Amino acid sequence: MEKIIILDFGSQVTQLIGRRIREIGVYCEIYPFNKIPVIDSSVKGVILSGSPFSVREEQAPQISLEGIKGVLPVLGICYGSQLMAHNFGGSVERSDSREYGRAHLRIIDKDCPLLKDIPEESVIWMSHGDTITSLPKNSHIIASTPDVAAAAYRFNDELTFATQFHPEVYHTEYGSQILKNFVCDICGCAPVWTADSFVESSVASLREKLGNDKVILGLSGGVDSTVAAVLLHKAIGHNLICIFVDNGLLRLNEAEEVMASYRGMGLNVTCVDAGDKFLAALAGKTDPEDKRKAVGKTFIDVFEAEALKHTGARWLGQGTIYPDVIESAAVGTGSAKIKSHHNVGGLPEKMNLKIVEPLRDLFKDEVRRVGRSLGIPQRLIGRHPFPGPSLCIRVIGEVTKDKLDILRAADDVFIRNLREWPCNLPCASEPSRTATNLYDAIWQAGTIILPVRSVGVMGDERTYDYTIALRAVTSTDGMTADWFHLPYEFMEKISNEIINHVKGVNRVCYDISSKPPATIEWE
Ligand code: XMP
């Protein structure tokens, strides 16, 4: 398959370049700058990303573009553009004018193919402390801003282009058009990378790779493992053995609902009811990390015991996705870590299993699109992220069955009402779609039961009951988050419904902290 290679110099937004290009329908791969892959005939172009470094620093990341620049189309973005200026006879200096944020771009070279179908003036996004003060040899300016003459330039007589601004960020009005001009017109890639084509080609390659082998896969109810399972099932049918561990820490009726959906999709899935084991492991534990470890270890024990029953299995299926792969490559391991929730790290050796990761080339939004293309119901595809340790980290302090029951009932009121409350904001998991209810507009929501009791009054009686905190956040990747502005009328309804219907609760609070400095979960 034809592809674009993105060389990453460490910018925070390198993944966005990849996502924009995939959105255009062209396949691309991201590599650290010091691990350039073999450039064979499938590579149609190379993009050099931004970086937190300055090209003037001694430890600045450097590469040789021999065999690439002048041979294949190249686009340097931000640091990438400055690196080429620096290395090919131009100069880069510390900037003394404003080069952060919005700026107005004016096209200078109207015939430049990189700027095809871009209006003469448009808004772009700058973010750099250095600036190009003289162009490299054999190049000319193609667009400028009032402060930055060389906002974009190209080398004469070769398909090498450079922008000091960031076409990949949303604030650059015609950023996607610029990337499309590069990958489609200049590199000549056809926009054929779609969810349907991915399903078709991966089913064929999974069939070839797995033959008649059996695969074991841990299902969590989350999007990644579900899509991985349905894809594998389409390829190898009943040779896919799915294990769903009910840890007794799930939401109200969640295990039953998820299992019903899985069976409805024809998956060969066993549910292991291990709630008692998890509760026993958590008994007496109050420290968040101790609780996480107890859940993680119990999960491994339960999953392994079930997996070992399937002696004929040859493979362990994983719902690893591309950001997991890039993250671990960036820290130097070069291969994806086993997903924390499915931390069955010892199993491959114990059972002599090989790993199969059908989604390891996909971004999260692509996983959702593939899921839709596979006919997985929206209720599963659009689910909020849910932590591996489940509700155990939302019962602050020691986890008991009573507190879990209170939390589950309160959580059910909150989540059910979020699903029923109309809203037409963008969908949190896929901003190009409009949400129809609050649940879809929110990135993640849940309730927390606090280890404090306070006095209240109900009818003629005094109560001494627990407090429930509500959490609802907007985010794109969970790394940063902001509290969602829930309508007051909605909060009023939830508070009344929880206090009136959930025995043991007499107070409801709304968490209005952003991350950082808070986190999404309370433990
Ligand atoms: P925090 O609380 O760190 O959470 O802001 C960021 C995202 O990660 C989820 N989360 C976890 N997921 N195991 C998981 O699989 C964990 O131990 C864990 N802790 C937090 C959290 O729900 C949010 O989506």
Side-chain angles (χ1 to χ4, degrees):
M1 185 181 352
E2 50 187 31
K3 64 186 171 203
I4 300 292
I5 295 294
I6 300 161
L7 296 178
D8 180 21
F9 292 94
S11 157
Q12 302 238 326
V13 286
T14 303
Q15 281 205 31
L16 270 186
I17 308 175
R19 290 185 52 169
R20 294 286 162 275
I21 293 177
R22 297 269 191 100
E23 275 165 16
I24 294 163
V26 171
Y27 182 68
C28 60
E29 289 172 355
I30 301 174
Y31 290 89
F33 72 94
N34 53 358
K35 292 204 179 121
I36 303 182
V38 175
I39 306 288
D40 60 20
S41 61
S42 67
V43 179
K44 300 296 171 199
V46 174
I47 295 181
L48 312 177
S49 85
S51 173
F53 285 94
S54 154
V55 291
R56 297 172 299 110
E57 289 172 83
E58 218 168 88
Q59 71 274 36
Q62 272 293 348
I63 53 166
S64 158
L65 286 176
E66 215 183 302
I68 297 178
K69 182 177 167 295
V71 179
L72 284 173
V74 173
L75 172 63
I77 294 176
C78 194
Y79 179 88
S81 74
Q82 294 170 351
L83 188 71
M84 289 196 287
H86 181 76
N87 289 2
F88 296 100
S91 46
V92 176
E93 287 168 33
R94 173 118 212 107
S95 166
D96 49 13
S97 63
R98 183 184 156 276
E99 297 192 11
Y100 289 96
R102 257 168 245 276
H104 290 271
L105 188 76
R106 199 163 50 80
I107 295 183
I108 307 289
D109 178 352
K110 295 192 176 68
D111 298 324
C112 178
L114 188 71
L115 304 174
K116 194 188 92 179
D117 296 337
I118 313 279
E120 219 166 298
E121 294 202 12
S122 65
V123 172
I124 48 109
W125 190 261
M126 290 280 195
S127 176
H128 49 90
D130 281 355
T131 197
I132 298 172
T133 47
S134 72
L135 286 181
K137 286 190 197 114
N138 241 334
S139 68
H140 67 271
I141 289 174
I142 56 175
S144 302
T145 71
D147 289 315
V148 183
Y153 68 89
R154 73 167 288 187
F155 285 82
N156 307 331
D157 316 317
E158 61 182 76
L159 296 176
T160 302
F161 304 83
T163 66
Q164 288 202 85
F165 60 89
H166 289 270
E168 70 277 27
V169 304
Y170 284 111
H171 314 286
T172 296
E173 249 181 315
Y174 291 89
S176 281
Q177 181 66 41
I178 292 174
L179 291 172
K180 183 165 179 247
N181 290 341
F182 181 70
V183 298
C184 295
D185 295 355
I186 297 169
C187 300
C189 294
V192 291
W193 170 259
T194 62
D196 290 349
S197 71
F198 173 82
V199 169
E200 203 179 304
S201 62
S202 37
V203 163
S205 68
L206 285 169
R207 277 193 189 134
E208 194 182 312
K209 180 173 186 169
L210 302 172
N212 205 24
D213 288 355
K214 288 195 162 47
V215 178
I216 297 178
L217 182 136
L219 274 174
S220 70
V223 179
D224 302 345
S225 66
T226 302
V227 175
V230 175
L231 194 59
L232 278 161
H233 179 255
K234 197 173 162 77
I236 61 168
H238 260 54
N239 273 343
L240 174 71
I241 302 151
C242 301
I243 299 172
F244 177 78
V245 175
D246 179 358
N247 59 13
L249 305 167
L250 302 176
R251 291 181 147 139
L252 192 69
N253 303 326
E254 189 174 19
E256 295 79 2
E257 282 173 17
V258 166
M259 281 299 292
S261 316
Y262 285 151
R263 293 206 172 108
M265 289 185 286
L267 296 180
N268 171 12
V269 50
T270 306
C271 177
V272 189
D273 181 359
D276 291 346
K277 287 201 176 84
F278 282 85
L279 262 190
L282 284 165
K285 297 206 165 50
T286 53
D287 177 76
E289 274 316 296
D290 288 349
K291 287 164 69 179
R292 270 197 170 75
K293 279 188 197 136
V295 172
K297 184 180 175 314
T298 312
F299 179 85
I300 294 173
D301 292 347
V302 173
F303 186 88
E304 285 198 356
E306 186 61 31
L308 285 165
K309 294 180 186 164
H310 303 277
T311 46
R314 289 278 154 269
W315 300 81
L316 180 69
Q318 289 272 336
T320 315
I321 68 172
Y322 200 40
D324 305 327
V325 178
I326 307 177
E327 248 171 56
S328 42
V331 295
T333 63
S335 70
K337 60 177 181 249
I338 303 241
K339 290 216 115 180
S340 54
H341 180 56
H342 292 203
N343 207 343
V344 287
L347 200 60
E349 292 82 53
K350 218 179 257 182
M351 286 182 73
N352 198 16
L353 298 175
K354 292 181 273 185
I355 305 269
V356 55
E357 299 169 315
L359 309 178
R360 64 175 283 135
D361 289 332
L362 300 190
F363 288 106
K364 190 84 180 184
D365 50 338
E366 294 174 317
V367 172
R368 289 203 166 90
R369 262 181 267 144
V370 166
R372 282 200 194 93
S373 155
L374 285 163
I376 301 175
Q378 172 62 20
R379 211 176 156 90
L380 278 179
I381 296 291
R383 290 186 72 171
H384 288 172
F386 189 62
S390 313
L391 296 182
C392 119
I393 55 170
R394 294 186 185 165
V395 175
I396 307 306
E398 187 178 1
V399 180
T400 62
K401 173 117 186 18
D402 289 352
K403 283 189 187 173
L404 271 174
D405 286 341
I406 294 174
L407 178 63
R408 265 195 271 263
D411 182 82
D412 182 57
V413 171
F414 188 35
I415 300 296
R416 202 164 18 83
N417 276 283
L418 286 175
R419 287 194 188 278
E420 286 167 9
W421 197 275
C423 161
N424 57 8
L425 289 169
C427 197
S429 60
E430 218 181 325
S432 55
R433 291 157 62 99
T434 304
T436 54
N437 55 52
L438 277 177
Y439 182 90
D440 287 341
I442 289 168
W443 194 78
Q444 184 171 9
T447 46
I448 299 103
I449 180 165
L450 307 189
V452 247
R453 289 201 291 169
S454 66
V455 173
V457 57
M458 230 177 223
D460 292 333
E461 278 179 36
R462 293 225 153 221
T463 55
Y464 188 54
D465 282 334
Y466 287 111
T467 298
I468 286 288
L470 309 176
R471 186 81 164 127
V473 295
T474 54
S475 180
T476 46
D477 51 12
M479 302 296 285
T480 61
D482 217 338
W483 58 281
F484 186 86
H485 292 217
L486 285 172
Y488 281 166
E489 301 73 23
F490 178 82
M491 291 204 267
E492 184 182 15
K493 182 169 191 280
I494 297 301
S495 167
N496 285 337
E497 218 171 303
I498 291 180
I499 293 173
N500 289 332
H501 297 290
V502 181
K503 211 165 168 299
V505 179
N506 64 358
R507 226 170 264 275
V508 173
C509 304
Y510 188 42
D511 181 352
I512 51 167
S513 333
S514 58
K515 173 184 179 177
T519 48
I520 296 175
E521 304 294 346
W522 279 41
E523 276 199 343

Coordinates of all heavy atoms in Angstrom, one line a residue, residues 288-289 292 339-342 384-390 393-394 443-444 471 473 475 477-481 515 518-523, ligand 1:
P288 N -4.7 4.1 47.0 CA -5.1 3.9 45.6 C -4.2 3.0 44.9 O -4.7 2.1 44.1 CB -5.0 5.3 45.0 CG -5.1 6.2 46.2 CD -4.6 5.5 47.4
E289 N -2.9 3.1 45.0 CA -2.0 2.2 44.3 C -2.1 0.7 44.7 O -2.1 -0.2 43.9 CB -0.5 2.7 44.4 CG -0.2 3.7 43.4 CD -0.7 3.4 41.9 OE1 -0.2 2.4 41.3 OE2 -1.5 4.2 41.4
R292 N -5.2 -0.6 43.1 CA -5.0 -0.9 41.6 C -4.2 -2.2 41.5 O -4.5 -3.0 40.6 CB -4.1 0.3 41.0 CG -4.9 1.4 40.5 CD -4.0 2.2 39.6 NE -4.7 3.2 38.8 CZ -5.2 4.3 39.4 NH1 -5.0 4.6 40.6 NH2 -5.9 5.1 38.6
K339 N -1.6 -3.8 26.9 CA -2.5 -2.9 27.5 C -2.7 -3.1 29.0 O -2.8 -4.2 29.4 CB -3.8 -3.0 26.8 CG -3.8 -2.5 25.4 CD -5.0 -1.8 25.0 CE -4.8 -0.3 24.8 NZ -6.0 0.4 24.4
S340 N -2.7 -2.0 29.7 CA -2.7 -2.1 31.2 C -3.8 -2.9 31.7 O -3.7 -3.7 32.6 CB -2.6 -0.7 31.8 OG -3.6 0.0 31.4
H341 N -5.0 -2.7 31.1 CA -6.2 -3.4 31.6 C -6.0 -4.9 31.3 O -6.6 -5.7 32.1 CB -7.4 -2.9 30.9 CG -8.7 -3.5 31.4 ND1 -9.0 -3.6 32.8 CD2 -9.6 -4.2 30.8 CE1 -10.1 -4.3 32.9 NE2 -10.5 -4.7 31.7
H342 N -5.4 -5.2 30.2 CA -5.2 -6.6 29.9 C -3.8 -7.1 30.2 O -3.1 -7.6 29.4 CB -5.5 -6.9 28.4 CG -7.0 -6.6 28.1 ND1 -7.6 -7.1 27.1 CD2 -7.9 -5.9 28.8 CE1 -8.9 -6.7 27.1 NE2 -9.0 -6.0 28.2
H384 N -18.0 5.9 26.9 CA -17.0 6.7 27.5 C -15.8 5.8 27.9 O -16.0 4.6 28.2 CB -17.5 7.3 28.8 CG -18.4 8.4 28.6 ND1 -19.2 9.0 29.6 CD2 -18.8 9.1 27.4 CE1 -19.9 10.0 29.1 NE2 -19.7 10.1 27.8
P385 N -14.6 6.3 28.0 CA -13.5 5.5 28.5 C -13.8 5.1 30.0 O -14.6 5.8 30.7 CB -12.3 6.5 28.6 CG -12.7 7.7 27.7 CD -14.2 7.7 27.6
F386 N -13.3 4.0 30.3 CA -13.6 3.5 31.7 C -12.3 2.8 32.2 O -11.7 2.1 31.5 CB -14.7 2.4 31.6 CG -15.3 2.0 33.0 CD1 -15.9 2.9 33.8 CD2 -15.2 0.7 33.4 CE1 -16.4 2.5 35.0 CE2 -15.7 0.3 34.6 CZ -16.3 1.2 35.4
P387 N -11.9 3.2 33.4 CA -10.6 2.7 33.9 C -10.6 1.2 34.1 O -11.6 0.6 34.5 CB -10.4 3.4 35.2 CG -11.8 3.8 35.7 CD -12.6 4.0 34.5
G388 N -9.5 0.6 33.9 CA -9.3 -0.8 34.1 C -9.7 -1.3 35.5 O -10.4 -2.3 35.6
P389 N -9.3 -0.5 36.5 CA -9.6 -1.0 37.9 C -11.1 -0.7 38.2 O -11.5 -1.0 39.3 CB -8.7 -0.1 38.8 CG -7.7 0.5 37.9 CD -8.3 0.6 36.6
S390 N -11.8 -0.2 37.3 CA -13.3 0.0 37.4 C -13.7 0.8 38.5 O -13.0 1.7 38.9 CB -14.0 -1.4 37.4 OG -13.5 -2.2 36.4
I393 N -11.7 2.5 42.0 CA -11.0 3.8 42.2 C -12.0 4.9 42.3 O -11.7 6.1 42.4 CB -9.9 4.0 41.2 CG1 -10.5 4.0 39.7 CG2 -8.8 3.1 41.4 CD1 -9.5 4.5 38.7
R394 N -13.3 4.6 42.3 CA -14.4 5.6 42.5 C -15.1 5.4 43.8 O -16.0 6.2 44.2 CB -15.4 5.6 41.3 CG -14.7 6.0 40.0 CD -15.7 6.2 38.9 NE -14.9 6.4 37.7 CZ -15.5 6.4 36.4 NH1 -16.7 6.0 36.3 NH2 -14.7 6.6 35.4
W443 N -16.8 13.7 27.2 CA -15.8 12.7 26.9 C -15.8 11.6 27.9 O -15.6 10.4 27.5 CB -14.4 13.5 27.0 CG -13.3 12.7 26.3 CD1 -13.1 12.5 25.0 CD2 -12.3 11.9 27.0 NE1 -12.0 11.7 24.8 CE2 -11.5 11.3 26.0 CE3 -12.0 11.7 28.4 CZ2 -10.4 10.5 26.4 CZ3 -11.0 10.9 28.7 CH2 -10.2 10.3 27.7
Q444 N -16.0 11.9 29.2 CA -16.1 10.8 30.2 C -16.9 11.4 31.4 O -16.7 12.5 31.8 CB -14.7 10.5 30.7 CG -14.7 9.3 31.7 CD -13.3 8.8 31.9 OE1 -12.3 9.4 31.5 NE2 -13.1 7.7 32.6
R471 N -18.7 13.6 38.2 CA -17.6 14.1 37.4 C -18.0 14.0 35.9 O -18.5 12.9 35.5 CB -16.4 13.2 37.7 CG -15.1 13.7 37.0 CD -14.4 14.7 37.8 NE -13.0 15.0 37.5 CZ -12.5 16.2 37.2 NH1 -13.4 17.2 37.1 NH2 -11.2 16.4 37.0
V473 N -16.3 15.4 32.1 CA -15.2 16.2 31.5 C -15.2 16.2 30.0 O -15.7 15.3 29.4 CB -13.8 15.7 32.0 CG1 -13.6 15.9 33.5 CG2 -13.5 14.3 31.6
S475 N -12.4 16.4 26.9 CA -11.0 16.1 26.7 C -10.8 15.6 25.3 O -11.8 15.4 24.6 CB -10.6 15.0 27.7 OG -9.2 14.7 27.5
D477 N -7.8 13.4 24.7 CA -7.1 12.1 24.9 C -6.9 11.7 26.3 O -6.1 10.8 26.6 CB -5.7 12.4 24.2 CG -5.0 13.6 24.8 OD1 -5.5 14.2 25.7 OD2 -4.0 14.1 24.2
G478 N -7.5 12.5 27.2 CA -7.4 12.1 28.7 C -6.2 12.7 29.3 O -6.1 12.7 30.5
M479 N -5.3 13.3 28.5 CA -4.1 13.8 29.1 C -4.4 15.1 29.8 O -3.8 15.5 30.9 CB -3.0 14.1 28.0 CG -2.6 12.8 27.3 SD -1.8 11.6 28.3 CE -0.2 12.4 28.6
T480 N -5.2 15.9 29.2 CA -5.7 17.1 29.9 C -7.3 17.1 29.8 O -7.8 16.4 28.9 CB -5.3 18.4 29.1 OG1 -5.8 18.4 27.8 CG2 -3.8 18.6 29.1
A481 N -7.9 17.7 30.7 CA -9.4 17.7 30.7 C -9.9 18.9 31.4 O -9.3 19.6 32.2 CB -9.9 16.4 31.4
K515 N -8.0 19.1 34.7 CA -6.8 18.4 34.7 C -5.8 19.0 33.8 O -6.1 19.1 32.6 CB -7.0 16.9 34.3 CG -5.8 16.1 34.1 CD -6.0 14.7 33.6 CE -4.7 14.0 33.5 NZ -4.9 12.6 33.1
A518 N -5.9 18.7 38.8 CA -6.6 17.5 39.3 C -6.4 16.4 38.2 O -5.8 16.6 37.2 CB -8.0 17.8 39.5
T519 N -6.9 15.3 38.5 CA -7.0 14.2 37.5 C -8.5 13.9 37.2 O -9.3 14.4 37.9 CB -6.3 12.9 38.0 OG1 -6.8 12.6 39.3 CG2 -4.8 13.1 37.9
I520 N -8.7 13.1 36.2 CA -10.1 12.8 35.9 C -10.7 11.9 37.0 O -11.7 12.2 37.6 CB -10.3 12.1 34.5 CG1 -9.8 13.0 33.5 CG2 -11.7 11.6 34.3 CD1 -9.8 12.5 32.1
E521 N -10.0 10.8 37.4 CA -10.4 10.0 38.5 C -9.9 10.6 39.8 O -9.0 11.4 39.8 CB -9.8 8.6 38.3 CG -10.1 7.8 37.0 CD -11.5 7.5 36.8 OE1 -12.3 7.5 37.8 OE2 -11.9 7.2 35.7
W522 N -10.6 10.2 40.9 CA -10.2 10.8 42.2 C -9.1 9.9 42.9 O -8.6 10.3 43.9 CB -11.5 10.8 43.1 CG -12.3 12.0 42.8 CD1 -12.6 12.5 41.6 CD2 -13.0 12.9 43.7 NE1 -13.5 13.6 41.7 CE2 -13.7 13.8 43.0 CE3 -13.0 12.9 45.1 CZ2 -14.4 14.8 43.7 CZ3 -13.8 13.8 45.8 CH2 -14.5 14.8 45.0
E523 N -8.9 8.8 42.4 CA -7.8 7.9 43.0 C -6.8 7.5 42.0 O -7.2 7.2 40.8 CB -8.4 6.7 43.7 CG -8.9 7.0 45.1 CD -9.1 5.7 45.9 OE1 -9.2 4.6 45.3 OE2 -9.2 5.8 47.1
Ligands
XMP1 P1 -6.6 10.3 35.1 O1 -7.4 10.0 36.4 O2 -5.2 10.0 35.3 O3 -7.2 9.4 34.0 O4 -6.8 11.8 34.7 C1 -7.0 9.6 32.6 C2 -7.8 8.5 31.9 O5 -7.3 7.2 32.2 C3 -8.3 6.4 32.9 N1 -7.6 5.7 34.0 C4 -7.2 4.4 34.0 N2 -7.4 3.5 33.0 N3 -6.2 1.9 34.4 C5 -6.9 2.3 33.2 O6 -7.0 1.4 32.4 C6 -6.1 2.8 35.4 O7 -5.5 2.5 36.4 C7 -6.6 4.1 35.2 N4 -6.6 5.3 35.9 C8 -7.2 6.2 35.2 C9 -9.3 7.4 33.4 O8 -10.6 6.8 33.6 C10 -9.3 8.5 32.3 O9 -10.0 8.0 31.2

